[in-house]
Amino acid sequence: MLTAALEQCLDVIWGETHEVLTDLTAPPLCKELSQRALEILKTLFNITYSVHRQDLDEEAAALYRRLAAVLRHCLLVPCEGEDRKEELQGHTVNVLSALPLQCLDVLLSVRLSEGSEESGGVNMDCVHTLLLFMEKRLDRGHKLKEKLTPVLNLLTESSKAHRETRHYLRQQILPPLRDVELRPEQGNTLRSRLVRLMTHVDTDIKHCAAELLFVLCKENVSRFVKYTGYGNAAGLLAARGLLNGRGSSPQPQYSSDSDSDTEEYRQARDRINPVTGRVEEEQPDPMEGMTEEEKEAEALRLINMFNRLSRGKIIQPMGVTTDGKLAPLCGQTRHSAVQEEEEEDEEDDDCSETEQ
């Protein structure tokens, strides 16, 4: 009933199966009709948010595919005022993110027309609109968890399910690297803005941003680190048990297209710091001129400092286990701690003898 009401509100004209004909030259949707559509979308979200991963029978799947086709039209239809259009797109994204994944294929099953965005012969107008919408929300920087995470999740799930979507988004967000003088999070590109979100204080925001980039890298750890830097990638890799680079992630059957490097990247590759993801200036060796005994003494001094901080519960030394996850290094530091305590006792004894 609500789908029919939304169709009537938007004056939907059907073409082939699950294809709504969108006339971009038509007059923009008036304020009254767009407000009515907004209320329908809010109600639809409350009804559909729990069916995201449910198995559907043929009748239900057909209904949700029809709704997805109408929602695609909602994304593309012009409105009176940019703010009104963005609000309509925002609620449309919320409903799309709640629909069963197998019903989202209708977003791409539209014939190509003159001026259409495309990838592999598939119409990408809807994906392109979602990308522009995500970019607007990134620019706003306001209420990111509420405003940005739905579209990030939608693009991630769509990229997992459809090779053409992933390929198109990767071209737009992760083009071949050329400038490796800047950190991945520096600059104003889509990649840099998403990488900055990977260290956001809100866990949900940083997880969504990292997950999208990880999927665009086909869940390949080395490629992910290449585009984001190990420091930015560490959070997601730790959560998935991939910090040692040898762990296996449950991957979909991604295609085997290669990651082509630019000439600029190939020339600088050996000088790139994998942690920061850029070419660093050469730093002087802090141990230059030191003897082996002095180096060993300096190493022991640093270990003892870490042990003091650890015993005071100021820090907790961690290491990467064989399964690629972080674990406390208490077992490995215990011997050093005992040795340090013995050295401190010897120092105290020496001081006492001197005083006597």
Side-chain angles (χ1 to χ4, degrees):
M1 182 184 68
L2 287 167
T3 301
L6 188 59
E7 291 179 36
Q8 184 181 17
C9 180
L10 299 174
D11 196 19
V12 164
I13 301 174
W14 289 97
E16 296 183 355
T17 306
H18 302 311
E19 180 182 358
V20 175
L21 302 179
T22 302
D23 183 5
L24 298 179
T25 63
L29 199 64
C30 69
K31 184 176 180 180
E32 180 184 352
L33 289 177
S34 60
Q35 183 60 44
R36 190 181 305 167
L38 287 174
E39 297 304 322
I40 295 173
L41 290 171
K42 292 175 186 177
T43 309
L44 278 169
F45 175 75
N46 289 324
I47 293 173
T48 60
Y49 78 95
S50 62
V51 301
H52 181 56
R53 297 188 181 275
Q54 290 182 7
D55 293 327
L56 305 174
D57 57 31
E58 290 185 11
E59 183 180 355
L63 173 61
Y64 285 121
R65 280 195 168 89
R66 185 179 181 90
L67 173 57
V70 178
L71 293 174
R72 181 186 186 278
H73 180 67
C74 281
L75 286 173
L76 302 176
V77 70
C79 294
E80 288 183 354
E82 281 300 311
D83 291 343
R84 178 67 64 168
K85 180 179 179 179
E86 185 178 340
E87 188 178 6
L88 182 65
Q89 289 178 335
H91 287 288
T92 302
V93 167
N94 290 342
V95 181
L96 281 171
S97 63
L99 293 185
L101 290 175
Q102 64 265 37
C103 298
L104 297 184
D105 56 350
V106 301
L107 300 180
L108 309 179
S109 59
V110 178
R111 291 168 297 176
L112 287 170
S113 57
E114 187 177 353
S116 291
E117 299 284 334
E118 64 95 18
S119 175
V122 176
N123 191 309
M124 287 287 122
D125 287 340
C126 181
V127 177
H128 181 70
T129 301
L130 289 171
L131 188 64
L132 295 178
F133 175 77
M134 181 192 75
E135 194 167 4
K136 284 182 184 177
R137 291 291 167 93
L138 277 170
D139 291 339
R140 297 282 170 83
H142 178 61
K143 294 183 178 180
L144 288 179
K145 184 172 183 176
E146 175 187 340
K147 303 289 188 180
L148 184 62
T149 53
V151 69
L152 288 176
N153 286 329
L154 179 59
L155 290 175
T156 301
E157 296 295 340
S158 298
S159 297
K160 286 181 180 179
H162 303 108
R163 174 184 178 275
E164 295 82 8
T165 298
R166 180 186 58 77
H167 184 70
Y168 179 79
L169 289 176
R170 184 176 157 206
Q171 286 181 324
Q172 303 301 316
I173 298 175
L174 298 178
L177 290 177
R178 297 185 182 278
D179 184 3
V180 288
E181 300 295 327
L182 294 177
R183 292 174 180 261
E185 66 270 22
Q186 292 179 319
N188 200 40
T189 64
L190 267 177
R191 175 180 73 115
S192 60
R193 283 182 281 175
L194 287 172
V195 170
R196 284 199 290 273
L197 291 182
M198 291 171 64
T199 53
H200 197 277
V201 293
D202 189 290
T203 305
D204 289 336
I205 293 173
K206 70 179 183 180
H207 172 77
C208 289
E211 188 73 17
L212 174 59
L213 293 175
F214 194 46
V215 168
L216 295 184
C217 293
K218 298 194 293 188
E219 302 187 31
N220 180 290
V221 174
S222 60
R223 187 178 297 181
F224 184 53
V225 170
K226 168 185 169 181
Y227 282 99
T228 66
Y230 190 83
N232 294 312
L236 181 138
L237 297 180
R240 285 180 170 240
L242 298 172
L243 278 173
N244 57 11
R246 298 191 299 272
S248 59
S249 176
Q251 300 179 15
Q253 295 299 315
Y254 291 118
S255 59
S256 59
D257 57 314
S258 60
D259 183 33
S260 57
D261 293 331
T262 62
E263 184 63 30
E264 295 91 333
Y265 179 81
R266 283 196 293 268
Q267 290 177 357
R269 179 165 46 198
D270 294 336
R271 296 182 289 116
I272 294 176
N273 183 331
V275 175
T276 62
R278 72 166 181 181
V279 174
E280 302 282 358
E281 295 181 3
E282 291 188 11
Q283 301 293 327
D285 184 357
M287 291 192 171
E288 186 177 359
M290 295 175 66
T291 65
E292 291 300 317
E293 290 77 10
E294 289 173 331
K295 292 179 182 178
E296 185 176 351
E298 181 67 15
L300 288 173
R301 187 178 72 85
L302 292 173
I303 291 173
N304 291 338
M305 290 171 63
F306 276 113
N307 282 332
R308 290 193 186 99
L309 292 172
S310 178
R311 289 202 303 271
K313 300 188 182 302
I314 298 172
I315 64 171
Q316 183 178 25
M318 306 287 284
V320 180
T321 63
T322 55
D323 59 356
K325 296 184 178 180
L326 287 174
L329 284 174
C330 54
Q332 300 180 34
T333 58
R334 188 178 294 115
H335 175 72
S336 298
V338 171
Q339 182 180 354
E340 179 191 357
E341 290 173 357
E342 291 175 351
E343 291 175 354
E344 289 177 348
D345 291 341
E346 290 176 0
E347 290 177 1
D348 292 341
D349 292 341
D350 293 341
C351 290
S352 298
E353 291 175 0
T354 304
E355 290 174 357
Q356 291 175 359

